[in-house]
Amino acid sequence: MTRRSLRTTVALTFACLVALATAVVGGLSYETAAGMVRADEESVFAGVVNDLQVQVRQGRFTAEDFTTDNPRQNVLPKLLRATRITVQVLGPQGNPVGSERPVPLPFDRADRVLAPEQRAGAGNQREVALGGSRYRTATVALGEGRGAIRIAQRLSDTQTLLSQLRRYIVLLAGAVIVIATAAGWWLARRITRRLTRLAAITQEVASTGKLDLVVPVTGDDEIGRLGHSFHDMLGRLARAKQDQQRLVQDAGHELRTPLTSLRTNISILQRFGELPPETQADLLNDLNQEARELTHLVNELVELAAHERDDEEPGDLQLAELAEHVAATARRRTRRDILVYASPVVVTARRTALQHAISNLLDNAAKFDPDGSQPIELFADGSRIEVRDHGPGIDEDDLERVFDRFYRAVATRALPGSGLGLAIVKDVALRHGGTPFAANRPTGGAIVGFTLGKM
């Protein structure tokens, strides 16, 4: 099945609308003009007949008064004001008298009986046909048996005029439709040009999977806004694809170390009975530790991927209540003293994501403040959430990278962890229109948190 392009559809629609409008206007114009012409011809003929009747009633005219060549005696110029009029005169005996102009029409009995009529002005009107032409005729008696005069108006002249008018209207309408079609095609090209380019790019994206294509974005109308939106969408998809590839690469790199260690220890297990008791204990502890690290890493990878695909809708929640709930859970898990300073405000956020971000901040503070002599502090208001600890702080070279995935400072690589906890905090902050931040406290320790934007 042949697919019709949008450009062709717009052009044909425009041409059809113009054709319809032209046909309606042309038809109405013709009918109006034809009606006016016919009415004018009838009015002129009726006026001539009325004048003739008035004249023959007022004067005693004979047939010779209408046929003489003497312009002073011939009364026809005084009576006839219209062109395209045929005049014929009947004598007292009902016979044609004088010359007939411009063409002779046959008389019938109804005309001849008016020649001997005594009453002046008596007459009849009818239509007759001669040689393919039609005439409107009127016969008027001169009275007292002096004859009669007949005038005739050729209707074919009017029809010829109307036929010419109809032909001109049809030709003009055809020219208008042709011009409108060309104009519609040109206009359709201008309207659909950007859509055509955008459609070609979408087809290329669908067929090749490339997301780094240049989207032509022009104008600020609906099509321009569509181009901007598609450009932004491609950019987001490209960044998401890059993040996905980087996550897979980083995860593969991070998983390689514990898996290699597990494989080595498993190979040693084949000689487990030959090992001294203390070596056996160290091997089992090492296996247990590697399994926990691997489990923790997999759990954080799953959590990070879940956050990226999370479709939880934002809702209103009590920030202080959420902060106290997360702190209580962290107290039980870390056995640390956690102080909460939260404003009793309502924020619009994704509850599960915000809960995970705060929990990761508290876990990070507990891990890097192993002394535990000072409480961990959680501050939360309507736009800023931060956790303060009393640990060694963060090296200045690491402040800008602590939120990168799998990044672990040199001083902390001996500690358990995968380097994904703060990456999840960054992801939650960005998805809530905020930014993550990290700094060192002047009195010692670190301040790590994020801001909340408007959703």
Side-chain angles (χ1 to χ4, degrees), residues 123-324:
N124 60 58
Q125 295 187 33
R126 67 182 186 279
E127 291 186 6
V128 298
L130 177 65
S133 298
R134 296 192 62 81
Y135 293 83
R136 181 186 293 115
T137 66
T139 305
V140 178
L142 298 178
E144 298 179 0
R146 294 191 295 271
I149 183 170
R150 183 172 73 172
I151 59 176
Q153 183 185 55
R154 186 177 178 181
L155 300 179
S156 300
D157 294 339
T158 303
Q159 294 300 326
T160 301
L161 176 64
L162 294 179
S163 297
Q164 293 177 349
L165 177 62
R166 183 168 56 250
R167 185 166 56 254
Y168 291 151
I169 290 177
V170 170
L171 293 176
L172 180 61
V176 169
I177 292 174
V178 171
I179 295 174
T181 302
W185 183 259
W186 176 81
L187 183 63
R189 287 191 61 186
R190 287 187 58 87
I191 292 175
T192 61
R193 182 167 51 196
R194 290 178 293 167
L195 283 176
T196 302
R197 292 201 300 263
L198 194 58
I201 292 176
T202 59
Q203 291 176 353
E204 185 173 357
V205 170
S207 60
T208 64
K210 295 181 179 179
L211 299 176
D212 56 348
L213 301 177
V214 178
V215 180
V217 179
T218 56
D220 56 357
D221 54 3
E222 289 80 359
I223 300 177
R225 292 196 295 272
L226 177 62
H228 282 286
S229 299
F230 188 71
H231 178 76
D232 294 341
M233 182 186 69
L234 281 185
R236 289 174 179 269
L237 288 175
R239 289 191 295 271
K241 186 176 181 179
Q242 293 173 357
D243 291 342
Q244 183 185 42
Q245 292 174 346
R246 188 169 63 253
L247 176 62
V248 171
Q249 293 171 357
D250 293 344
H253 175 75
E254 292 296 323
L255 287 171
R256 189 176 297 115
T257 299
L259 288 175
T260 302
S261 178
L262 281 174
R263 190 164 53 248
T264 301
N265 290 331
I266 290 173
S267 65
I268 297 176
L269 282 176
Q270 296 176 359
R271 299 182 293 109
F272 186 77
E274 303 174 4
L275 301 176
E278 59 273 12
T279 305
Q280 293 178 355
D282 292 339
L283 178 60
L284 292 176
N285 289 333
D286 193 28
L287 283 171
N288 188 35
Q289 180 65 27
E290 292 293 343
R292 284 200 303 267
E293 289 293 327
L294 185 59
T295 301
H296 182 68
L297 177 59
V298 172
N299 288 338
E300 288 198 330
L301 283 173
V302 172
E303 183 179 352
L304 182 61
H307 276 295
E308 291 183 343
R309 299 192 303 269
D310 187 17
D311 57 355
E312 179 185 7
E313 292 294 330
D316 295 337
L317 54 89
Q318 293 285 344
L319 184 60
E321 178 183 341
L322 178 66
E324 286 288 354

Side-chain angles (χ1 to χ4, degrees), residues 12 56 66 101 129 132 148 182 234 254 260 292 298 323 326 331 337 398 410:
L12 289 178
V56 298
F66 294 94
R101 60 183 181 88
L234 281 185
E254 292 296 323
T260 302
R292 284 200 303 267
V298 172
V326 177
R331 290 188 192 103
D337 187 14
D398 296 325
V410 176

Side-chain angles (χ1 to χ4, degrees), residues 364-380:
N364 188 74
K367 180 171 64 175
F368 293 104
D369 183 13
D371 179 39
S373 59
Q374 297 291 330
I376 297 173
E377 299 167 309
L378 171 60
F379 292 85

